[in-house]
């Protein structure tokens, strides 16, 4: 099954505007001949700056979150309407840092997923188990629940705008990557869950990224696995020297 690789940088809460502009311009130059699909997701305050740099290039612009409502009295939140104005194309939702630090649950994430899709955004829905859940043998149970509940009420017709990112929480920012075999097992399982929900054709097409300590020296082995279709990269996406070899893995 030919799925195009999707290589994404989640910049998290890093960088100033000038640093972001420099990094984005460097990526634009060095990925111009890249063969895969690319995305950068900077903080809200950097979006306008980065938007101007990546406009009309092969790098998509992503946000790291959005509010579950279009507008209203929601102090501190950012709306899909505001993101659209900045030409944001993709929204990362359900990241483990949102789930575990900011206590977002599956119902809230699902509300955001549906709102983002309704407004025509691509959604990267992040799923993944905690270390204690892995040790308790609950990897499939957790990933299935987060996938099913995250996509509850999402029409099959919108699934082409959904990407899943499997990010085992214990591998995020720790330098501990899942082995390609361990990651592949979960990716294959999640694809089966999608097949059950939306049919085999949709499951064959959906992009499932891996995230969690992806580095230049492990990207190619991970991407070689049948069901791993890209990467959601944190720390290594903050420097051209580490993101370019990942984005152009061979
Ligand atoms: P690291 O690549 O820093 O482990 O972060 C992964 C991640 O959370 C991307 O969303």
């Amino acid at each position: 099954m030919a799925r195009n690789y999707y290589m994404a940088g989640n910049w998290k809460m890093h960088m100033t505007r000038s640093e972001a502009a420099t990094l984005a311009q460097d990526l634009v130059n060095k990925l111009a001949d890249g063969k895969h699909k690319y995305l950068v997701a900077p903080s809200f305050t950097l979006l306008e700056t980065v938007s101007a740099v990546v406009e009309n290039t092969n790098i998509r612009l992503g946000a790291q979150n959005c509010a579950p409502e279009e507008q209203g009295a929601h102090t501190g939140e950012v709306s899909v309407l505001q993101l659209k104005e900045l030409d944001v194309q993709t929204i990362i939702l359900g990241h483990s840092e949102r789930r575990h630090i900011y206590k977002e649950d599956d119902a809230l994430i699902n509300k955001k997923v549906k709102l983002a899709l309704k407004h025509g955004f691509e959604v990267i829905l992040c799923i993944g188990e905690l270390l204690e859940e892995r040790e308790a043998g609950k990897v499939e149970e957790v990933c299935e629940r987060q996938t099913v509940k995250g996509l509850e009420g999402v029409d099959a017709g919108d699934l082409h705008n959904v990407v899943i990112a499997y990010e085992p929480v214990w591998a995020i920012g720790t330098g501990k990557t899942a082995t390609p075999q361990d990651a592949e097992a979960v990716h294959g399982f999640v694809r089966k869950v999608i097949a059950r929900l939306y049919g085999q054709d949709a499951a064959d097409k959906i992009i499932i990224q891996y995230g969690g300590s992806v580095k230049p020296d492990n990207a190619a082995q991970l991407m070689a696995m049948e069901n791993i279709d890209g990467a959601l990269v944190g720390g290594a996406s903050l420097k051209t020297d580490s993101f370019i070899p990942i984005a152009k893995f061979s």
Side-chain angles (χ1 to χ4, degrees):
M1 177 74 217
R3 288 180 293 265
N4 191 11
Y5 287 103
Y6 190 178
M7 312 304 280
N10 173 7
W11 294 358
K12 305 194 180 184
M13 199 174 68
H14 293 288
M15 286 193 286
T16 61
R17 281 205 294 176
S18 66
E19 288 164 350
T22 304
L23 175 59
Q25 188 59 58
D26 216 11
L27 295 178
V28 163
N29 298 342
K30 294 187 170 132
L31 288 179
D33 62 349
K35 309 247 179 313
H36 310 309
K37 182 173 170 182
Y38 301 115
L39 171 102
V40 291
S43 296
F44 292 128
T45 58
L46 308 174
L47 284 171
E48 187 169 11
T49 302
V50 175
S51 182
V53 179
V54 301
E55 191 183 359
N56 298 322
T57 70
N58 61 344
I59 303 179
R60 299 171 67 89
L61 182 65
Q64 299 171 15
N65 191 16
C66 69
E69 306 289 342
E70 277 165 18
Q71 57 183 343
H74 291 276
T75 302
E77 292 291 322
V78 176
S79 149
V80 285
L81 304 177
Q82 296 165 327
L83 296 177
K84 195 171 270 186
E85 227 183 3
L86 300 177
D87 298 325
V88 168
Q89 296 156 290
T90 301
I91 307 179
I92 298 173
L93 293 171
H95 191 278
S96 74
E97 287 143 25
R98 302 298 321 166
R99 291 179 190 267
H100 299 293
I101 306 175
Y102 296 100
K103 308 297 175 205
E104 293 194 9
D105 62 13
D106 287 315
L108 178 65
I109 293 161
N110 175 248
K111 210 169 166 192
K112 296 180 181 198
V113 166
K114 285 189 288 192
L115 186 66
L117 291 172
K118 178 183 157 201
H119 285 275
F121 290 95
E122 174 182 81
V123 165
I124 298 180
L125 172 64
C126 303
I127 63 166
E129 81 287 355
L130 296 163
L131 183 58
E132 57 260 38
E133 291 167 333
R134 173 161 284 261
E135 285 170 346
K138 292 187 172 161
V139 177
E140 294 192 349
E141 179 188 325
V142 170
C143 292
E144 178 167 10
R145 190 199 72 231
Q146 292 176 345
T147 303
V148 171
K149 296 206 164 175
L151 296 177
E152 207 168 273
V154 170
D155 292 338
D158 279 331
L159 208 69
H160 67 280
N161 269 332
V162 175
V163 172
I164 307 277
Y166 170 58
E167 301 203 297
V169 181
W170 47 270
I172 296 178
T174 57
K176 281 187 218 157
T177 325
T179 64
Q181 292 71 22
D182 281 348
E184 169 66 14
V186 181
H187 282 236
F189 172 75
V190 172
R191 203 177 298 286
K192 283 203 191 103
V193 172
I194 296 292
R196 198 186 74 220
L197 297 174
Y198 293 98
Q200 193 58 48
D201 188 49
D204 287 340
K205 285 187 181 135
I206 198 164
I207 298 296
I208 308 178
Q209 296 172 323
Y210 169 81
S213 299
V214 176
K215 307 285 179 216
D217 64 5
N218 60 27
Q221 291 110 285
L222 287 160
M223 296 309 120
M225 305 310 287
E226 162 101 26
N227 287 292
I228 302 183
D229 312 315
L232 185 54
V233 186
S237 74
L238 299 172
K239 292 210 164 72
T240 325
D241 287 354
S242 42
F243 190 63
I244 295 295
I246 294 172
K248 291 187 158 176
F249 76 91
S250 61

